[in-house]
């Protein structure tokens, strides 16, 4: 079973005792006119790294991306369905979909099939009301946040994020913040590693970046 | 005209030799067979006025509603077979609610119009079902901008500045009156729109043929949820409208 950044305990049916730790380190931060999405690039099957250059930042629409954590198969399947759904929706609407619409569609799948899925998703994008970040953890709840971290690696950086996040950071500050958060998580979490991939979404378009090696 | 339909008008699934669906056209005639209903797209909203023909003094005044709220910012006024139209109103309410639940945003009026026109069109393709015998005037505000559509039994949806549907002669005359207003509609406010639409309905009401009528008026705007006016408000509107009509004569 291909899992993005999972540790061994998942293979022993952790759902039976309620313990599922999502692999990966993913995050998204909102700044005044856009969103920075960041993720590591490790996909594991048990302790074998199946893909060390994975792209966990998936394009849902031109203006909305999502970061995927949990089961690779589950998140890929959900993302594909949501992308198809939103494509038709935006054709009918005559304009790009709103980020909260994308979050709502993701949520409806994640909640409806919560017992069969293992998917933690962060949705980020820019629409006519501005930039937005929505976190959809296991179970299918939705919460909008100024920044969101997810995956098994995120547990190691909660303190760092709380200490160093300031509202009103510029785009460049957010990019540096995202890189350092993901790098720190990758250096402590065995299920996260490889490259740091970034996507910077603004009304002018999306810029993808890659950071090789671990900084700091 | 009737002779042309012989043989080709028995089922909605049969085209005539000149490419027409007679059953759908007959449904269109059923759609005109009711009191006049008129809607205007004004600067920041939509106004509706309907002529409720009360065929008997035994009927309570609130009977025979022809204007229905779909959600706060969308309403439908109906013409033709009222029971058929109520089915469409229910469908519209469900579509609007499901859209909101699924996509987290209020359904745009033209999207709802597409859903309803597809729904009505479906009933023109099967021999086992008949077309809807009603037309609907669908009006609402999307992102602050008002939109008005006429949807006919064939499923054809048309965007309008203003529109009237109803009994034969008065329909054409009403449409002529609406045409005279078209240039002023983009800058008309809701209050004026209400009076103008009421004037059209009251003026064309045939006192001899349908003696007892009730006026039903409603409005919605970017800053005002859809509401059908109360009896008191409708009376005030009627008096104002009649006053202006008398003055014009």
């Amino acid at each position: 079973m291909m899992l993005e950044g999972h540790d061994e305990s998942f293979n022993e049916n952790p759902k039976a005792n309620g313990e599922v730790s999502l692999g990966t380190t993913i995050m998204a931060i909102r700044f005044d006119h856009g969103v920075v999405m960041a993720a590591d690039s490790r996909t594991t099957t048990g302790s074998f790294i199946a893909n060390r250059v994975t792209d966990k930042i998936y394009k849902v629409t031109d203006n909305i991306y999502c970061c995927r954590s949990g089961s690779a198969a589950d998140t890929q399947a959900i993302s594909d369905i949501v992308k198809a759904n939103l494509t038709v929706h935006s054709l009918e609407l005559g304009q790009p979909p709103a980020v909260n619409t994308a979050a709502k569609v993701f949520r409806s799948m994640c909640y409806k099939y919560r017992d069969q899925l293992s998917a933690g998703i962060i949705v980020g994008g820019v629409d006519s009301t501005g930039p937005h970040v929505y976190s959809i953890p296991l179970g299918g709840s939705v919460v909008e946040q100024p920044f969101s971290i997810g995956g098994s690696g995120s547990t190691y950086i909660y303190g760092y994020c709380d200490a160093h996040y300031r509202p009103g950071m510029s785009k460049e500050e957010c990019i540096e913040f995202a890189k350092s958060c993901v790098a720190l998580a990758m250096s402590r979490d065995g299920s996260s590693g490889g490259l740091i991939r970034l996507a910077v979404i603004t009304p002018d378009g999306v810029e993808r970046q890659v950071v090789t090696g671990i900084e700091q | 005209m009737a002779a042309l339909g012989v043989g080709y008008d028995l089922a909605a699934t049969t085209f005539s030799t000149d490419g027409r669906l007679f059953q759908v056209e007959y449904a269109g005639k059923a759609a005109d067979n009711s009191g006049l209903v008129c809607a205007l797209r004004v600067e920041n909203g939509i106004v509706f006025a309907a002529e409720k023909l009360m065929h008997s003094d035994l009927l309570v005044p609130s009977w025979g509603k022809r204007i229905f709220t779909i959600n706060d910012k969308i309403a439908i006024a109906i013409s033709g077979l009222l029971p058929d139209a109520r089915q469409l109103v229910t469908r519209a309410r469900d579509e609007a609610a499901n859209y909101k639940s699924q996509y987290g945003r209020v359904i745009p009026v033209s999207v709802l119009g597409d859903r309803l026109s597809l729904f009505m069109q479906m009933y023109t393709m099967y021999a086992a079902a008949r077309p809807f015998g009603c037309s609907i005037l669908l009006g609402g505000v999307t992102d602050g901008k008002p939109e008005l559509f006429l949807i006919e039994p064939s499923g054809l949806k048309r965007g309008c500045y203003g529109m009237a549907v109803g009994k034969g002669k008065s329909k054409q005359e009403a449409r002529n009156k609406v045409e005279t207003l078209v240039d002023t509609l983009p800058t008309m406010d809701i209050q004026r729109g209400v009076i103008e639409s009421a004037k059209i309905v009251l003026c064309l009401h045939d006192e001899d043929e349908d003696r007892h009528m009730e006026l039903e008026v409603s409005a919605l705007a970017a800053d005002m949820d859809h509401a059908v006016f109360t009896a008191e408000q409708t009376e005030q509107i009627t008096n104002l409208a009649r006053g202006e009509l008398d003055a014009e004569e």
Side-chain angles (χ1 to χ4, degrees):
Chain A
M1 177 161 53
M2 302 267 271
L3 298 162
E4 255 135 35
H6 258 267
D7 56 17
E8 299 275 10
S9 66
F10 189 91
N11 293 330
E12 294 156 73
N13 191 11
K15 285 200 177 66
N17 58 15
E19 227 184 293
V20 181
S21 81
L22 291 178
T24 304
T25 308
I26 51 173
M27 82 182 289
I29 318 166
R30 181 178 83 205
F31 57 96
D32 67 348
H33 62 278
V35 175
V36 176
M37 319 271 294
D40 75 307
S41 69
R42 180 172 289 182
T43 304
T44 53
T45 318
S47 62
F48 172 68
I49 298 174
N51 186 350
R52 60 190 176 96
V53 288
T54 323
D55 187 1
K56 301 179 189 179
I57 306 175
Y58 180 84
K59 177 173 136 173
V60 180
T61 67
D62 286 341
N63 61 319
I64 303 171
Y65 280 65
C66 71
C67 288
R68 306 181 290 115
S69 75
S71 153
D74 288 351
T75 56
Q76 283 171 13
I78 296 169
S79 303
D80 282 346
I81 293 170
V82 172
K83 180 175 183 165
N85 192 319
L86 288 180
T87 304
V88 174
H89 165 70
S90 86
L91 279 171
E92 200 181 36
L93 197 57
Q95 63 190 67
V99 189
N100 82 315
T101 300
K104 200 123 189 185
V105 178
F106 265 113
R107 186 276 292 266
S108 72
M109 279 204 76
C110 291
Y111 178 71
K112 192 169 174 188
Y113 300 107
R114 56 184 289 169
D115 293 334
Q116 291 131 278
L117 293 173
S118 169
I121 293 175
I122 300 179
V123 181
V126 180
D127 59 33
S128 59
T129 62
H132 298 278
V133 169
Y134 291 88
S135 175
I136 307 166
L138 246 52
S141 58
V142 193
V143 60
E144 181 173 9
Q145 299 172 302
F147 80 97
S148 181
I149 55 178
S152 64
S154 67
T155 55
Y156 304 101
I157 52 170
Y158 273 104
Y160 179 81
C161 288
D162 289 341
H164 286 84
Y165 173 75
R166 298 173 335 263
M169 288 196 287
S170 70
K171 178 174 97 168
E172 290 66 31
E173 284 173 315
C174 285
I175 293 173
E176 288 313 304
F177 179 59
K179 284 181 194 169
S180 57
C181 287
V182 177
L184 284 167
M186 279 158 60
S187 67
R188 283 294 186 180
D189 179 29
S191 316
S192 303
L195 321 159
I196 302 176
R197 290 198 189 271
L198 294 136
V200 183
I201 310 169
T202 59
D204 302 325
V206 179
E207 189 200 322
R208 300 296 312 255
Q209 287 180 30
V210 175
V211 180
T212 56
I214 293 180
E215 297 186 342
Q216 290 204 3
Chain B
M1 209 47 174
L4 281 173
V6 168
Y8 300 108
D9 62 348
L10 297 174
T13 46
T14 309
F15 281 100
S16 71
T17 50
D18 51 351
R20 292 155 68 177
L21 285 170
F22 279 108
Q23 274 298 312
V24 177
E25 293 188 20
Y26 298 158
K29 301 214 193 303
D32 287 339
N33 200 6
S34 70
L36 193 65
V37 63
C38 168
L40 300 173
R41 188 182 96 183
V42 297
E43 183 184 6
N44 66 334
I46 308 282
V47 299
F48 298 92
E51 175 192 18
K52 285 199 305 185
L53 297 171
M54 314 296 277
H55 299 292
S56 159
D57 289 337
L58 296 172
L59 299 171
V60 297
S62 54
W63 173 88
K65 255 164 53 120
R66 297 184 60 194
I67 304 175
F68 298 88
T69 306
I70 306 302
N71 64 29
D72 289 339
K73 296 290 185 237
I74 303 180
I76 282 179
I78 64 186
S79 159
L81 289 176
L82 301 198
D84 282 13
R86 293 211 186 95
Q87 160 87 307
L88 289 171
V89 166
T90 307
R91 180 83 191 193
R93 286 174 176 161
D94 287 344
E95 289 278 2
N98 285 336
Y99 190 95
K100 178 85 196 276
S101 170
Q102 207 180 351
Y103 296 112
R105 59 175 301 146
V106 178
I107 192 169
V109 183
S110 80
V111 170
L112 179 59
D114 286 336
R115 302 276 175 101
L116 288 174
S117 66
L118 281 171
F119 184 66
M120 289 171 81
Q121 188 278 339
M122 212 168 58
Y123 286 78
T124 68
M125 287 177 80
Y126 300 99
R130 62 166 176 80
F132 281 90
C134 58
S135 288
I136 57 179
L137 286 169
L138 168 71
V141 170
T142 298
D143 292 334
K145 288 200 281 281
E147 294 181 292
L148 176 65
F149 298 98
L150 168 66
I151 309 176
E152 293 170 330
S154 60
L156 182 65
K157 180 190 104 174
R158 288 183 280 176
C160 319
Y161 298 110
M163 184 47 75
V165 193
K167 286 213 174 96
K169 187 177 69 126
S170 60
K171 173 174 96 172
Q172 197 44 58
E173 285 185 28
R175 288 187 184 180
N176 292 342
K177 284 187 190 293
V178 173
E179 250 186 82
T180 62
L181 293 173
V182 162
D183 291 330
T184 57
L185 287 174
T187 51
M188 192 184 285
D189 66 26
I190 292 282
Q191 285 83 351
R192 177 96 302 260
V194 167
I195 304 293
E196 290 293 347
S197 59
K199 275 163 66 178
I200 292 173
V201 171
L202 290 167
C203 169
L204 292 169
H205 169 66
D206 190 335
E207 271 298 325
D208 299 322
E209 256 197 63
D210 313 299
R211 264 173 306 135
H212 192 173
M213 85 149 244
E214 297 248 334
L215 181 67
E216 193 182 352
V217 201
S218 80
L220 64 89
D223 55 356
M224 180 181 119
D225 291 348
H226 179 254
V228 178
F229 293 115
T230 64
E232 293 80 22
Q233 290 168 319
T234 308
E235 214 188 303
Q236 278 181 308
I237 293 164
T238 309
N239 292 338
L240 283 166
R242 285 207 193 282
E244 287 189 25
L245 283 171
D246 293 337
E248 278 162 23
E249 262 145 43

